[in-house]
Amino acid sequence: MSKKDLNDESEGVDQLAKAGTAITEKTLFATGIRVGTMVKTKAMAHFISRTTPDGLHYIDLGKTLERIETAARFISRADISKVVVYSAREYGKTPVEKFCELTGAIPVTGRFMPGTFTNPLYPYHIDAELLIVSDPAIDAQAVDEASKMGVPVIAVCDTDNVTSKVDLVIPANNRGRKALAAVFWLLARAVLIRTGRLTADQPMKYTIEDFETKIIEEAAEGTSKP
C-alpha cells in the first residue's frame, strides 16, 4: 500500500448504514463527534458544514463517515500486525486499546519514544506498514518518524489541525472523550466488516461507551469538549 493510494482513493458511501444498524445520527451527535474548534486551517475548511455566530465550526458528519470507510478499506488491505495506532492524548488511551484488541493492530499510548520507527537498533523498534493517530499535532513525534520512513499516516483531525504530513484525514472532534470513542468504535466496526469478521447486522463486542476513557481519568486531561 502506498501514500499515492491513500490520496487517490475516493468513493461515496451510504453513511449511517455503513456504521451499523444500532447507530443513529442523533446518537453520534450526542458524542460531540462533529464539534470543531473556533479555528480552521485551510486544509480543514472543506470539512466544515457550518459555523455558529460566535465562531464555532461544525464538521460535516457525512464526510467523517465517508473518511472512516475509506480508512477502513486501507487498514483491511494492510498487514494488521504492522498497523500502529497511537495516541498521546489521555482520552485516546481506551479507544486505541479497544480498537487494537478487536482488530489485532499494535496499540501505542503515552509518550512515543524517539526511534520507534526510525532506529532498527532500538529494542522496541516497530517496522510499521501504516500509522493511525488521534491528533497529528499532539502525536507529532510518531507522525514525523512515519513520514521519514515513508509510512502512510491516517489521522483524526479537528478543524484547527495542519495536515501536511497526513495522507488520509478523518475529520472529527479529536479532543473529546466521547468523540474519540465514537471515531475509533466506528473505525473498528468498519474494519471488522471489511475483513469479514463481522457482518453489518451483527453487534460488536463493545459499545461506544466501552471505548470511552473512564471519568476517573479526566483529571489528567483537564477540561475538554464532550
Side-chain angles (χ1 to χ4, degrees):
M1 176 170 47
S2 68
K3 286 174 174 282
K4 185 177 184 299
D5 291 332
L6 282 174
N7 290 325
D8 290 349
E9 186 86 15
S10 177
E11 75 177 57
V13 293
D14 184 9
Q15 298 148 358
L16 291 177
K18 294 287 186 179
T21 55
I23 298 302
T24 65
E25 190 175 77
K26 182 178 180 180
T27 298
L28 290 181
F29 282 177
T31 69
I33 192 172
R34 65 186 182 128
V35 180
T37 72
M38 299 184 76
V39 176
K40 70 175 177 179
T41 59
K42 183 177 180 180
M44 294 301 296
H46 66 288
F47 293 114
I48 295 171
S49 61
R50 69 183 180 91
T51 302
T52 63
D54 60 357
L56 180 65
H57 301 297
Y58 277 79
I59 295 164
D60 186 327
L61 179 61
K63 291 182 178 180
T64 300
L65 296 172
E66 285 182 6
R67 288 305 182 94
I68 285 173
E69 285 298 318
T70 300
R73 281 201 307 277
F74 286 101
I75 296 167
S76 66
R77 294 172 188 169
D79 179 349
I80 197 65
S81 67
K82 292 186 177 181
V83 174
V84 177
V85 189
Y86 174 62
S87 180
R89 198 179 293 282
E90 183 66 24
Y91 284 167
K93 182 180 180 184
T94 300
V96 165
E97 290 176 346
K98 293 296 185 185
F99 176 89
C100 291
E101 178 188 336
L102 290 172
T103 64
I106 303 170
V108 181
T109 57
R111 185 188 175 199
F112 189 89
M113 297 302 295
T116 298
F117 293 155
T118 56
N119 183 4
L121 298 179
Y122 175 58
Y124 301 103
H125 171 74
I126 301 173
D127 183 18
E129 184 175 322
L130 180 65
L131 173 67
I132 305 168
V133 298
S134 67
D135 185 331
I138 300 296
D139 305 333
Q141 179 68 36
V143 172
D144 287 345
E145 291 200 13
S147 181
K148 288 177 183 177
M149 299 304 293
V151 175
V153 177
I154 296 173
V156 183
C157 297
D158 214 322
T159 62
D160 60 348
N161 276 126
V162 174
T163 64
S164 56
K165 293 183 179 180
V166 176
D167 298 288
L168 180 63
V169 169
I170 297 176
N173 171 356
N174 62 11
R175 293 168 171 80
R177 176 171 59 89
K178 294 180 179 180
L180 279 174
V183 170
F184 279 95
W185 185 91
L186 288 165
L187 187 58
R189 182 174 179 83
V191 169
L192 293 176
I193 291 173
R194 286 274 174 184
T195 55
R197 288 181 279 175
L198 194 72
T199 62
D201 60 349
Q202 283 182 308
M204 281 220 300
K205 178 180 179 180
Y206 299 118
T207 65
I208 290 178
E209 288 75 18
D210 293 325
F211 270 62
E212 290 180 24
T213 299
K214 302 308 179 186
I215 294 292
I216 57 173
E217 296 177 283
E218 287 191 10
E221 185 75 2
T223 302
S224 169
K225 294 189 293 185

